[in-house]
Amino acid sequence: MSDHALRLLREQPHLAELAAFPFNFDLARADHGEAVRLASNGPLEAVAGDDTGGTYFVCGDGSVLYADSEGSAGIIGNSVDEALEVLVGLPGWHDYLGLAPADGEEKIRAAVAETEEEIREYHGIDDERTELRAGLGLPERSPVELIGLLHAALLRTEPDFLLLNAEEGGAHALLDRHPRPPLWEAVLARGRTDLTLLREGSAWDEVAGDRARRALALRAAQFDRREGDLPLLRHLLRHEAEASMTDELRLAAVLVGLHGRAEDLPLLYEVRETDFDTWCGLGGTPEPGADPAELGRWARDLDDSLFGTDPADEPLFTWTGLAHEQGLVELARAALIRRLDDIDFRAYCDARDGKAMERRDASQLSSLVYEFEQLGDSFQALRAQRLYVPLQTRAWDRVSALLRLARLEREEGRFGAAIRTLTSLRDTLAEPAGAADDSDKSLGHWQRTNLGAYIVEEHYALARTAATDTALTDEVRALTVAAGELLARLSGTARANVEQHLAETTDTHADIRADTHTDTGADADADPGAGVSAEPTPPQPSAG
């Protein structure tokens, strides 16, 4: 990717003046005015701007990303040289974002001619274009060629160059409105190729032995069902059982069961008995000796409720999970951010209109938090968790949600916010029901559960990491005192587990443990099995 033209503009003021006017690529306007970053955290350098408040950024691979002042962004060239070819050759390029080579030469030339005639009413562009092209060594291309370059560049914007507001995390809209293939199409491409190989009788062990390829092949078979697939489906089912209970294992069992063969009943029974998780996940599978018609009914019922034949009906998280498995991390991240932005916008509209946020978003937000954490994106996970917390009405759920929020804030280095979150958590422990529901007793025995242990451990973890911020000295001291008080309230076993964890992670809590390891009455003599129940694990999205 060449930056030849950019270097010439920086070295030759006269050429820079021509680029700034009339072609609106002004090196002096490189300040975008708000902090932005790529979702991928790739390099991003502002190099120029225009008189509408838009900014031109150079990305890590040399591509030029244009962000306007209205919250839209798009790649306009594979390099600064190519971007300048477009800007100089199509000075009205903003008007052509909806054009594509498929529109045909006549339509493209007519649109360009009309815009350029309007520009010429105010200032010249022809001599200036000739001079700037010569000075920068840019080739002369037809409007049709330039529209082709611009169109191809715009389609590359997502997922690798998704632009975010650096503070709030929301994504910019696409600069153009050209249709893109659905997420599932990109994700399924490898699976369809492997399914073809399996049908040809090749690569059976290679595909079946690779978790990501096997899952994709099964998904491809879900949407392209053939009578002759039964042998390869049996093969994939046996291998998928080695991964224990997965959505794809259930899918493989359903696809085999739909054939309604009595000889498959022992295989399905064997798979179901693999371990406890598969026994639960495949419960209801007809056992050996059952009527094959019963197997068919079982498979059809599950197929109708969980799977089907249209990939567009699958939940987003099916495709983002599979994208992540095959290394398409930015594709998954972009889709998840877009979904989170939709929910965030609805929440904003509800708040503006004085309405409560819809409960239907709660399960999606929980899954978004989980998926972002799987991607290692705690920033976006934190965005989703902030929206999730207010939707929790049950005291136990509120505390669990606040605990997770505090952890994410800590991991993002937002120590002050995390301290305030834990204060809200302790307030909920003190008055679980609040004013909403006096019958909420869900936190009645939190001291004897893993939740209680996790609360105390998070207090100590935050106190340890926030201690590096000298501006929070008083808050950290109060947090440490609160941690000790909570530790003293835990049951005997739960407290011992926390103290063991603290001893394994750091020696700085020795004095605190000595001060707080006192007899706490009934809790100190709690059931020896205490401290091992009700662990708040993040919910895992399912294909259903």
Side-chain angles (χ1 to χ4, degrees):
M1 297 302 176
S2 173
D3 63 354
H4 173 71
L6 182 60
R7 285 188 286 108
L8 288 175
L9 292 179
R10 287 170 169 169
E11 293 167 359
Q12 300 187 35
H14 175 62
L15 293 179
E17 290 173 6
L18 273 178
F21 183 82
F23 301 106
N24 226 352
F25 186 87
D26 191 344
L27 299 182
R29 294 179 181 268
D31 182 7
H32 188 57
E34 69 173 6
V36 294
R37 67 176 180 85
L38 294 178
S40 65
N41 281 322
L44 194 67
E45 178 191 4
V47 296
D50 62 23
D51 60 10
T52 69
T55 309
Y56 299 93
F57 298 90
V58 176
C59 304
D61 69 343
S63 296
V64 175
L65 180 74
Y66 175 79
D68 66 21
S69 59
E70 303 300 320
S72 298
I75 296 292
I76 61 169
N78 292 333
S79 64
V80 176
D81 289 11
E82 186 177 293
L84 282 166
E85 283 188 54
V86 171
L87 301 183
V88 174
L90 301 172
W93 68 274
H94 289 275
D95 295 335
Y96 314 141
L97 293 173
L99 287 177
D103 291 316
E105 181 174 353
E106 182 178 351
K107 181 177 179 179
I108 290 172
R109 288 188 179 276
V112 172
E114 180 181 357
T115 303
E116 293 196 354
E117 282 305 311
E118 294 174 358
I119 294 174
R120 290 186 184 98
E121 292 179 7
Y122 300 96
H123 55 77
I125 55 172
D126 299 307
D127 293 342
E128 292 83 355
R129 178 156 49 200
T130 299
E131 183 178 359
L132 190 56
R133 275 175 170 164
L136 297 179
L138 301 178
E140 183 175 347
R141 299 185 190 271
S142 72
V144 177
E145 289 180 279
L146 293 172
I147 289 296
L149 290 176
L150 178 60
H151 178 70
L154 289 167
L155 292 180
R156 291 180 52 238
T157 303
E158 207 164 299
D160 294 325
F161 305 101
L162 183 64
L163 190 67
L164 306 181
N165 179 292
E167 295 297 324
E168 299 174 1
H172 284 54
L174 289 172
L175 195 61
D176 67 282
R177 295 297 180 267
H178 295 299
R180 264 73 169 179
L183 173 64
W184 60 261
E185 192 169 301
V187 175
L188 268 187
R190 178 65 183 272
R192 287 170 165 166
T193 299
D194 279 343
L195 181 59
T196 298
L197 292 175
L198 292 170
R199 285 169 173 166
E200 292 172 351
S202 59
W204 272 42
D205 290 335
E206 291 87 340
V207 173
D210 184 303
R211 160 63 193 153
R213 293 180 69 180
R214 183 173 67 242
L216 287 169
L218 282 166
R219 289 293 175 177
Q222 175 186 349
F223 306 115
D224 180 15
R225 305 179 182 192
R226 300 185 186 179
E227 185 64 29
D229 285 347
L230 185 55
L232 67 89
L233 292 173
R234 291 167 175 158
H235 187 65
L236 295 175
L237 173 63
R238 290 188 180 94
H239 280 77
E240 187 63 22
E242 298 172 3
S244 189
M245 193 60 227
T246 64
D247 290 335
E248 283 69 41
L249 180 65
R250 187 180 288 109
L251 171 61
V254 166
L255 292 176
V256 169
L258 286 172
H259 289 266
R261 302 289 183 86
E263 58 266 34
D264 288 320
L265 289 168
L267 170 61
L268 291 169
Y269 179 78
E270 177 186 342
V271 168
R272 191 187 74 180
E273 298 297 307
T274 300
D275 56 36
F276 180 73
D277 289 336
T278 57
W279 184 83
C280 294
L282 295 177
T285 309
E287 298 192 0
D291 187 339
E294 183 183 347
L295 173 60
R297 285 192 297 272
W298 170 84
R300 284 191 296 275
D301 288 344
L302 274 183
D303 190 30
D304 290 343
S305 62
L306 296 180
F307 300 111
T309 59
D310 186 349
D313 292 339
E314 285 290 325
L316 169 70
F317 303 110
T318 295
W319 302 121
T320 55
L322 291 170
H324 185 201
E325 278 195 43
Q326 58 179 312
L328 302 176
V329 173
E330 296 312 318
L331 188 66
R333 192 197 314 273
L336 292 168
I337 290 174
R338 292 294 188 195
R339 177 61 59 85
L340 178 55
D341 284 352
D342 289 342
I343 297 174
D344 200 357
F345 180 71
R346 288 201 300 274
Y348 164 79
C349 292
D350 289 342
R352 179 196 60 195
D353 298 337
K355 298 189 300 184
M357 188 175 171
E358 295 187 24
R359 292 276 315 157
R360 66 185 175 91
D361 288 328
S363 62
Q364 284 205 58
L365 286 168
S366 181
S367 295
L368 282 167
V369 174
Y370 174 80
E371 292 293 335
F372 280 126
E373 289 202 272
Q374 292 297 106
L375 294 177
D377 195 335
S378 58
F379 179 80
Q380 295 294 343
L382 176 56
R383 278 186 68 205
Q385 188 67 10
R386 282 176 175 160
L387 291 171
Y388 179 74
V389 168
L391 296 175
Q392 308 313 303
T393 57
R394 185 169 169 262
W396 178 282
D397 297 333
R398 287 201 306 275
V399 166
S400 297
L402 287 166
L403 178 61
R404 194 178 203 179
L405 178 62
R407 175 177 60 78
L408 289 168
E409 289 169 333
R410 171 173 58 82
E411 291 174 353
E412 277 293 298
R414 302 175 187 237
F415 302 139
I419 290 172
R420 291 189 292 274
T421 297
L422 288 183
T423 300
S424 296
L425 186 155
R426 294 195 301 276
D427 290 344
T428 304
L429 290 177
E431 295 186 32
D437 182 5
D438 291 335
S439 65
D440 187 349
K441 307 298 182 184
S442 57
L443 285 173
H445 302 285
W446 66 266
Q447 302 93 333
R448 304 183 180 190
T449 68
N450 281 341
L451 176 61
Y454 293 158
I455 290 170
V456 175
E457 288 173 1
E458 182 56 38
H459 275 70
Y460 280 123
L462 179 57
R464 183 169 61 251
T465 52
T468 59
D469 189 340
T470 56
L472 295 173
T473 300
D474 291 341
E475 289 86 348
V476 170
R477 184 178 295 112
L479 180 69
T480 304
V481 171
E485 293 172 349
L486 290 171
L487 178 62
R489 294 178 64 187
L490 294 182
S491 70
T493 302
R495 186 171 64 248
N497 289 341
V498 171
E499 291 178 335
Q500 180 180 354
H501 173 77
L502 294 176
E504 292 171 352
T505 54
T506 178
D507 292 330
T508 61
H509 300 293
D511 294 338
I512 295 173
R513 291 197 302 274
D515 292 341
T516 57
H517 196 167
T518 57
D519 187 1
T520 57
D523 278 347
D525 298 321
D527 180 356
V532 295
S533 62
E535 179 176 354
T537 56
Q540 310 247 348
S542 68

